[in-house]
Amino acid sequence: MNTIKIEKTESKESGWETFNFKSFQFGETPTDHFFLAEFKNGKWVNPRIEPFHSLTISPFALCFHYGQTVFEGMKAFRQDDGKVHIFRPKKHHKRFNRSLERMCMPEIEEELFLNALEKLIQLEQHWIPKEEGVSLYIRPFIIATEPRLGVKIANEYLFCITCTPMGLYYPKPVRVKVETDYVRAAEGGAGYAKCGGNYGAAFFATKKANEQGFDQVIWTDAKTHEFIEESGTMNLMLFMDNKLVTPKLSSSILDGVTRSSILQIAKDLGIQVEERPVSWKELKEQLESGNRVELFGVGTAAVISPISCVQIQEVDYFPYIENDAVMYRLKKELDNIRRGRTTDKYHWNHFI
Ligand code: COI
């Protein structure tokens, strides 16, 4: 792989100088530069960083027709001392490759992935202010670009890494509904892969839930609709009975990086952790018992998002979201590691 060529923007004013970090919508504003590389003749070539621009792609490109698109979502943070790091890029890289393998797309070597990220974030680090609560969301993605209408695995691809500033994905506690009609992913399908199709296929049920006043659905397993899986933009966790419980990973659940970090943090705090099947019946019984039950989503974008209302079989339940909830302690610990306020004993922060 060649070295990464860098072409800086010629614009005198960089976007971050005028960007309103106090009030913005997630995902609307790209930073000044992005990374690109092409896959041709069996290898990744021409790695480069350019000023952000639109792409010219043939309408015949296979990504538009048969769904070979894979992405990642990760974040860079500025610590209290000003240093910038990317959170767990090696873990994201492994998941990226697992998704690519599932979609028959060419994998990316770790060296290229890390090198591209480091160079890009070095250039874009001004987009991460020191203020609490703002980070830089990093969106690597690969699409099939070979122009061909025949149904086939493409042999040409484009790999890009783009960035956008990020505050809270869910500014308010989330209202969700347990979905038992529609299916996001079945065992043996591609649910564990971060491919575009999983998100597109989720829109219909999510739109219906939105129309009923919910932010998201909780997906259940495709076979029995008894076991809760994930919530579209995040993995799910419960704190009940002094235990942190989360659905066990399967081929239909995304292996969340935040999920894995929170499970580790909980163990380190001496909290008992259970990864196992969780039925909505169990959740319902717990919520009806009057016991304190916390239900929350965890994800790169969502971080830890409290769930204030969950509808199960047409009945609304209200999980515990008061200030002393354990989920906020877990979030604080994660924030402390990322801000450099506590020891990063697993070396999750990858400094640039
Ligand atoms: C993420 O947390 O990175 C996601 O992919 C969720 C969403 C922004 C699609």
Side-chain angles (χ1 to χ4, degrees):
M1 171 59 63
N2 317 327
T3 49
I4 297 174
K5 278 192 232 107
I6 299 179
E7 182 196 332
K8 288 194 191 164
T9 172
E10 278 174 9
S11 162
K12 290 211 176 53
E13 209 173 57
S14 168
W16 62 269
E17 288 172 274
T18 50
F19 186 75
N20 182 359
F21 284 99
K22 296 212 159 52
S23 166
F24 63 95
Q25 288 287 320
F26 167 70
E28 282 184 351
T29 310
T31 59
D32 302 304
H33 303 88
F34 76 134
F35 170 88
L36 305 94
E38 280 97 23
F39 186 82
K40 280 201 174 115
N41 302 319
K43 53 180 199 277
W44 288 104
V45 293
N46 198 13
R48 60 205 187 274
I49 289 173
E50 294 180 356
F52 189 88
H53 61 76
S54 298
L55 301 167
T56 303
I57 297 173
S58 164
F60 272 24
L62 281 158
C63 64
F64 295 132
H65 308 280
Y66 311 122
Q68 273 187 299
T69 74
V70 158
F71 69 95
E72 261 304 315
M74 48 206 293
K75 279 183 177 167
F77 296 87
R78 189 176 294 282
Q79 297 199 327
D80 294 340
D81 61 5
K83 282 201 233 142
V84 168
H85 67 82
I86 305 165
F87 191 69
R88 305 195 73 178
K90 292 185 181 174
K91 186 138 178 88
H92 282 281
H93 168 257
K94 285 207 173 73
R95 186 174 67 180
F96 200 29
N97 275 349
R98 279 203 305 277
S99 304
L100 291 165
E101 181 198 31
R102 183 62 179 77
M103 298 305 291
C104 296
M105 295 165 71
E107 296 182 14
I108 300 279
E109 312 96 73
E110 187 183 82
E111 194 190 342
L112 170 63
F113 189 76
L114 293 181
N115 202 358
L117 278 172
E118 285 165 12
K119 296 257 166 10
L120 183 63
I121 304 308
Q122 256 155 25
L123 210 56
E124 303 300 65
Q125 56 179 295
H126 304 290
W127 283 88
I128 321 172
K130 240 185 168 176
E131 282 84 28
E132 205 88 15
V134 185
S135 57
L136 189 66
Y137 184 82
I138 308 168
R139 169 57 61 90
F141 65 91
I142 299 186
I143 55 172
T145 48
E146 183 190 346
R148 180 84 72 98
L149 290 189
V151 180
K152 72 180 282 277
I153 297 169
N155 55 26
E156 287 173 16
Y157 295 86
L158 176 70
F159 169 29
C160 295
I161 308 178
T162 56
C163 304
T164 188
M166 164 137 226
L168 291 173
Y169 191 76
Y170 292 114
K172 284 197 309 217
V174 184
R175 291 170 53 82
V176 298
K177 170 191 172 182
V178 173
E179 177 59 65
T180 50
D181 290 327
Y182 298 104
V183 170
R184 173 185 173 272
E187 273 288 326
Y192 72 91
K194 214 162 167 62
C195 54
N198 283 337
Y199 293 78
F203 285 154
F204 188 66
T206 311
K207 179 171 156 255
K208 289 195 159 210
N210 292 158
E211 285 160 6
Q212 295 162 21
F214 299 100
D215 300 294
Q216 267 296 339
V217 298
I218 289 187
W219 296 104
T220 49
D221 72 286
K223 217 186 238 169
T224 67
H225 283 298
E226 277 180 31
F227 297 96
I228 62 171
E229 299 221 305
E230 59 164 84
S231 187
T233 49
M234 48 200 188
N235 292 111
L236 287 167
M237 288 192 179
L238 286 121
F239 187 78
M240 56 186 188
D241 228 359
N242 270 323
K243 281 181 247 165
L244 184 66
V245 181
T246 191
K248 190 172 157 39
L249 292 178
S250 72
S251 60
S252 56
I253 298 181
L254 190 81
D255 180 2
V257 175
T258 311
R259 176 186 181 281
S260 130
S261 309
I262 293 297
L263 290 179
Q264 186 60 57
I265 288 171
K267 286 178 198 159
D268 292 351
L269 289 174
I271 295 171
Q272 195 181 329
V273 166
E274 288 181 3
E275 292 179 72
R276 60 168 172 83
V278 183
S279 68
W280 58 256
K281 284 194 186 121
E282 177 185 0
L283 175 60
K284 184 169 174 280
E285 274 165 24
Q286 284 288 337
L287 288 159
E288 280 173 350
S289 70
N291 293 337
R292 191 194 272 199
V293 179
E294 296 175 32
L295 178 62
F296 53 101
V298 295
T300 297
V303 193
I304 285 192
S305 293
I307 293 175
S308 57
C309 172
V310 53
Q311 187 176 88
I312 308 174
Q313 290 192 309
E314 313 285 317
V315 181
D316 287 353
Y317 297 91
F318 303 95
Y320 190 79
I321 57 163
E322 298 306 318
N323 289 340
D324 60 343
V326 171
M327 62 185 151
Y328 303 124
R329 221 169 103 209
L330 296 167
K331 179 169 184 303
K332 184 97 192 128
E333 275 301 307
L334 180 64
D335 285 345
N336 284 345
I337 295 171
R338 288 168 161 176
R339 299 286 302 193
R341 293 173 186 156
T342 191
T343 322
D344 172 22
K345 61 180 171 186
Y346 301 108
H347 308 289
W348 288 340
N349 301 331
H350 182 95
F351 289 95
I352 56 155

